[in-house]
Each structure stands twice: as C-alpha cells, then as structure tokens.
Amino acid sequence: MGSVASAAAPPSPHSALPQEGAPPYGPGLAGILPQTSVGEEKKEEKVDYLNLLCPVPFEEIQREALMSLKPELFEGLRFDFTKGLNQKFSLSHSVFMGSLEVPAQGSETIKVPTAHYEFGANFLDPKLMLIGRVMTDGRLNARVKCDLTDNLMLKVNAQLTQEAHYSQGMFNFDYKGSDYRAQFQIGNNAFYGANYIQSVTPNLSMGTEMFWLGHQRKSGIGFACRYNTDKMVGTLQVASTGIVALSYVQKISEKVSLASDFMYNHMSRDVTSSFGYDYLLRQCRLRGKIDSNGVVAAYLEERLNMGVNFLLSAEIDHCKKNYKFGFGMTVGE
Amino acid sequence: MGSSVSQAGAPPPHPPTYASTPPFAPAAADAADAAAAPPPKPHEEEATEEKVDYLNLPCPVPYEEIQREAFMALKPDLFEGMRFDLTKMITPYFALTHSVAMGSIEIPAQGSEVIKVPTSNYEFGANFINQRTMLMGRVSHEGRENIRVKHDITDNLSLKINAQLTSEPHYSQGMLNFDYKGKDFRSQVQFGNNGFYGANYIQSVSKNLSLGTEAFWLGQQRKSGVGVVARYDTKKMVATAQIATTGMVALSYVQKVSEKVSLASDFMYNQMTKDVTASFGYDYMLRQCRLRGKLDTNGVISSLLEERLTPGVTFQLSAELDHWKKDYKFGFGMALGE
C-alpha cells in the first residue's frame, strides 16, 4: 500500500483553511498554482473552501503513475484461477513457474528455475474484506480491512514466514474527514507512523508524514503534494531520508495515458527516470515503459472470453543484459 | 533435413526386385515376409500381394527421413524467452530473413542444480530457391555461419551440402551428399570432414514396406558401423524400426486418428550407455492453429502452440517442464512473412 517513510519540510501554512470572504488570501494562493494570477484570482473567488473534495489516501498519491509504470511483470508461466463460491466468498489458485534471479558475484546474471503454488481465500463484504494467501513454501500473506464507523477504518497487513524474525505485521487506522485524511500506523520492530493529507483547492492537496523505527532508532518526516485535474495528475514527494519522487500522468484520450516519473535518492546518489504509456483498447490493455537504467518493458492483457484473460510480459534490461519473458492466463477474475 | 546417420546393423536380405514368371511371385513374397516381421493376417496379405505390381512400386522416402512423421509431432522447435522472425521476399526466388532470440540458456553446473544465464542472438539469413537449386545461408552476430545447398544435377541425381562454420578453430563442420533417386529405390553417398564417409540404400519391397541399410566410417576416430532400417506406412499409420552396430535401437509409430489429429510415439534404446527413453505425443491441427504436445519417460512434458493471427503472421507459445530436473522453460514468439 504505497510507500511509508518519506518526509520533508513542514507543510505549507496554506494547509489551514482560509476564511471565506478574506480577500488578502486570494493573491497568496496564486504563487502555488501554475495558472495565471488574474484567472486564478477570478476562479478562487468562486471556490467553496468549505466543500472541498476528500483527497486520495497518502500512500496512494502516485497511484495513476504506478498503474502505468509498474505493471506486474513476470518471467515464465503464470496461471491464476478464481472460483466464486457465493457473492462474498471466493477461492483462488495460482501457479507460477519460471526463473528466479540469484545473487551472483560479478556482473553476470544467474537464474535458477523455480515453481510455486499459492492458495487463496477472499471474503468481500461492504464493511469487511479478508484476503489470505498461502504458498507452498509456507509463507502466509493476510490482509484485513474493516470499517469500524463510516469514517474510521482498520487495516491489517501481515506476512508470516517460517524463518525466524522475518515475519512482518502492520496495523493501520485510517480516519476519513470531509476534506482531509489521517492515518496512524503501528508495525512490528517498533515501527510507528502517522500521516495527514488535506485538500487545499479542488485540484491541489498537500500532506505530511512522520515515522519512527524503534529498533533502528531512526525517524523521519516527509512531505507530499498532489495536483490533479480530469486530464492530468502531478505529484511531488520529499522526505528526510533523502528521497525525492516526482510523477506526472497525462491522459491523451479516453484510451491512452502517458506517464513519467523521477526518483532521486540523496543518500545513495541514485537517480532514475521512467517514461511509459497505458493503452486501453476494447478487449486488451497494453502498458509499456522505458527508463534511464536501460530497461524496456511491456505488458499485454487480452480478454479472450468473459472471465478469461491472456497475459504476455516482456522485460529487457540492456545495461545488465537480462531478459525476462513470460506468458500466462487468468481465469475467473 | 532430419539426420540419423551413423547407425548400422546386420545387412538385410535383399529379395529380387523382378519376377519374370508367375510361379516365382509367391516365392518372392514369402522371402519378403521372412525378412520383415510376419504380417498379422498372412492369408489376406498373400491374397493382396498376388496382385501387387512389383515393377511399379513407389519410391521410398529418403533414408534420413524415415522417421519424419514422428519428428514432426515429437520434436517441435521449442524455445525459451522471446523469438521474432521476419521474412521478406525480394523476388519470387529470393528472400531475406531476420531472427531475434532472447532468453536464458542453461550452463553446465556441478550438482543437480540447473543454472541459467540470459542471452540474446540475432541472425541474418538469405534464401534463394529455384526449381533446380536451393541456397540458404544464415549468419549469426557471433560469427557462426550455417549454409545449405541443394542442386539437382540431373533429374535423378541431387547434390546436397551442409556446412556450419564458426570462429573457433576445429569446430567447423561440412558434409557433401550425393543423392540418387531410382524408380523404387534411393541411394546416397556422403563425405564429411574429419574423415567421415557414409553410404545408404533404401528399397521399396512392397507398396507399404521399404527396407534400407547404411554403412559409415569415421576416419579420425577409426570407427565404422552398419545399420538397418524398416518402414511400413499406409494412409493412416507409419511405423519404423532402426538398428545400428553402435548399439542404437529406435522405434516409432504414428497413427492418424482423424484428418486433424495424429498420435505419435517413439522408443530409443542405446545398448552402450543403457539409456532408454519412450515418448508419447499428439499433433492437433485446427483451422488457424496447430498444437503439439509430448510426454516422455524422463518426466518432460512439453507443448508448442502456433496460431495464425492473419495470413503471414504467426504467434507461438512454447512450454517445457522437466519435472525430474525441476527445469521450466516458457517462451513466446512471432513470425512474420512465412
């Protein structure tokens, strides 16, 4: 669910709601928005600041870019089968067979064939969602989402393994206000986090987060900003861990979206930028991407019949000379 | 061009191909029956054979192709990763091809673990096909060259050349082949590098049965061998047997279940290494796609799907699972212009 632990300077004072009818605040907002101040001034005089929309959750501010730029690429064969037992309960079976990259000395890439089977059970209710996955090597993945009240939601994520000290868990309380969201997170290894995001104008929302990793005795703060219209989404994220992330998605037409993102890590001096497209046709969806690490990827999903999808996945890493190709089928989704 | 050279066995008894007087026809038929396994219905066979025109038997298939139906079903061109082939016709006789393959190849590893590394390959090819001459060349970006030539010197005599040239010394190979096609027999003489000499002869014995023999000499290894083959085919089935002094025994059987479905099986036994493998496969031909699959005693299950999306555009899916070695290979590809 998005990325925690990204923080930056304290949020702009504009996160506070300006009082309606206070003319001196109008020109100040123009400095933030990319539109002309005159036009902005006129529009702002009509904006109803007491009825702003609720922003997207903090960890999802980049969701449009992630959809285009990070499809679920795989190598080998993938087969997913979902069987609905009743309106709310379904079982799923997943088979994966392919190659797994193992760490190797030198720049050579080494792979070994691997295969695993995953069994899943899903329970979906308007107020409650339970998802469980068990794998052949004993790993268990559990997700719970429960609406405690109309505004308060509890989320639980857990990954349990047989290896000692490798299990993880996370509790998440999500409060949804009329034009803001707040979250409080508790995780194992003494992880505590909190974030808050507020709509500032109908198109702009800003947020902040902070976290504490008890075992590593490390803390951080982060800042996030999102501007979206019907046609575009732009996001910015800065954190005291040294992460800077920008993304921009433009909807060219009803069927085509273009996406780009930029990641910079001040600590490791690592920088990556990506460009991708998302092509939605009547019976298929094609996503592709190219990034500055020399990776070219494409992912095709085609609906053969109602409930039967055919998948093709391709990823070429020119710098590392690594190639991954796979095909698969999804039945029953 | 399937290759099963270097197989030998006892020379087969060769019945006479002519029968000048009627009383000798049954005798020749009996000799032929003694040479091969006795047919299941000797009386019916005897009656049928009395009408066989031994002077007009059909020409048998080439010696190295006697198992071609089993090969088509049981040995499809499987691959891992991605494959893209483009064929461009320049003139009705001349075509250029471009092939790209990207995927993983297995490298030898100590222990039973399977280790792979990613690899990629580009190949450029040129084809010239004429009524009497066929020239095919393939150059790989690593400098490997593959050449095939076929030329009809006369109506009955063909010259064939196969060569693989590499940049590594002593790894290049070449083979020269003279193929003589008679009315109801075929014979071949082969010359290869490293002092290889081979010859084979195959003869139609009845309308459905042909027998053949081959001999070869590997000069550098100072090894020789002889082999014998038999092939029995009707419209609905093909059965073959092959034995060689190298200890190789190979049997195959293909049954055409319907116009669209064929079932195939084969059996390989090597007396020297005590290695034995049996395979079972199917070949399913539909209107726009062809599906072939196979299962063998080494625990390998494989499948190849070729679907024609539009005329000249073929989509391929390849899958191979080796349960014993825990090795899995999956790939997809596209061929344009074939």
Side-chain angles (χ1 to χ4, degrees), chain A residues 75-77 97-99 108-115 310 312-314 316 318 321-323 325-327, chain B residues 80-82 102-104 107 113-120 315 317-319 321 326-328 330-332:
Chain A
E75 179 172 24
L77 168 83
M97 286 173 152
S99 299
E108 195 92 327
T109 304
I110 303 271
K111 302 177 184 179
V112 291
T114 186
F310 178 67
L312 282 182
S313 169
I316 299 174
H318 286 294
K321 295 270 197 292
N322 192 4
Y323 317 110
F325 300 97
F327 61 87
Chain B
E80 178 172 23
M82 191 271 293
M102 287 174 152
S104 304
I107 59 180
E113 195 92 326
V114 177
I115 304 256
K116 298 179 184 178
V117 292
T119 184
S120 64
F315 177 68
L317 284 180
S318 169
L321 283 76
K326 296 267 195 292
D327 191 7
Y328 317 109
F330 300 98
F332 60 86

Side-chain angles (χ1 to χ4, degrees), chain B residues 119-124 137-147 163-168 171-172:
Chain B
T119 184
S120 64
N121 192 50
Y122 168 74
E123 216 176 58
F124 174 76
R138 294 275 182 281
V139 184
S140 162
H141 75 284
E142 314 159 338
R144 279 189 283 119
E145 237 180 276
N146 194 299
I147 295 162
Q164 288 97 44
L165 313 176
T166 73
S167 326
E168 302 173 49
Y171 274 83
S172 299

Side-chain angles (χ1 to χ4, degrees), chain A residues 21-213:
Chain A
Y25 286 164
L29 292 177
I32 298 170
L33 303 174
Q35 302 175 36
T36 61
S37 53
V38 177
E40 186 61 27
E41 208 164 337
K42 290 179 184 175
K43 288 184 192 176
E44 282 186 48
E45 287 176 331
K46 305 169 190 170
V47 170
D48 186 358
Y49 286 102
L50 296 182
N51 277 305
L52 294 176
L53 296 175
C54 189
V56 305
F58 191 93
E59 68 270 10
E60 285 182 23
I61 63 159
Q62 284 191 348
R63 68 186 175 191
E64 289 85 1
L66 292 191
M67 273 198 300
S68 294
L69 295 170
K70 293 181 167 58
E72 291 180 309
L73 300 166
F74 61 95
E75 179 172 24
L77 168 83
R78 208 175 103 185
F79 183 77
D80 295 322
F81 176 66
T82 303
K83 173 84 174 174
L85 299 190
N86 57 41
Q87 296 278 352
K88 298 175 172 174
F89 187 54
S90 65
L91 298 177
S92 68
H93 306 267
S94 300
V95 174
F96 170 77
M97 286 173 152
S99 299
L100 187 73
E101 196 168 331
V102 299
Q105 62 279 358
S107 62
E108 195 92 327
T109 304
I110 303 271
K111 302 177 184 179
V112 291
T114 186
H116 62 246
Y117 165 75
E118 201 178 71
F119 173 76
N122 307 321
F123 179 82
L124 298 170
D125 184 82
K127 291 183 82 74
L128 180 64
M129 180 187 85
L130 305 170
I131 295 183
R133 294 278 183 276
V134 185
M135 280 176 55
T136 45
D137 49 19
R139 279 190 279 134
L140 173 68
N141 193 300
R143 286 164 64 202
V144 178
K145 187 179 168 187
C146 179
D147 294 344
L148 301 178
T149 69
D150 279 355
N151 296 98
L152 185 61
M153 182 190 302
L154 166 70
K155 290 180 191 169
V156 181
N157 269 338
Q159 287 98 44
L160 312 178
T161 72
Q162 305 183 100
E163 301 174 50
H165 306 303
Y166 275 84
S167 298
Q168 295 183 59
M170 175 88 72
F171 261 83
N172 205 11
F173 292 97
D174 193 336
Y175 185 81
K176 184 180 173 185
S178 66
D179 61 356
Y180 69 92
R181 278 191 199 252
Q183 269 188 39
F184 184 63
Q185 296 156 331
I186 306 170
N188 65 324
N189 293 328
F191 173 85
Y192 300 97
N195 63 60
Y196 177 87
I197 186 164
Q198 167 81 52
S199 281
V200 174
T201 70
N203 302 116
L204 177 67
S205 50
M206 296 177 162
T208 184
E209 74 169 325
M210 60 192 63
F211 60 89
W212 164 252
L213 301 163

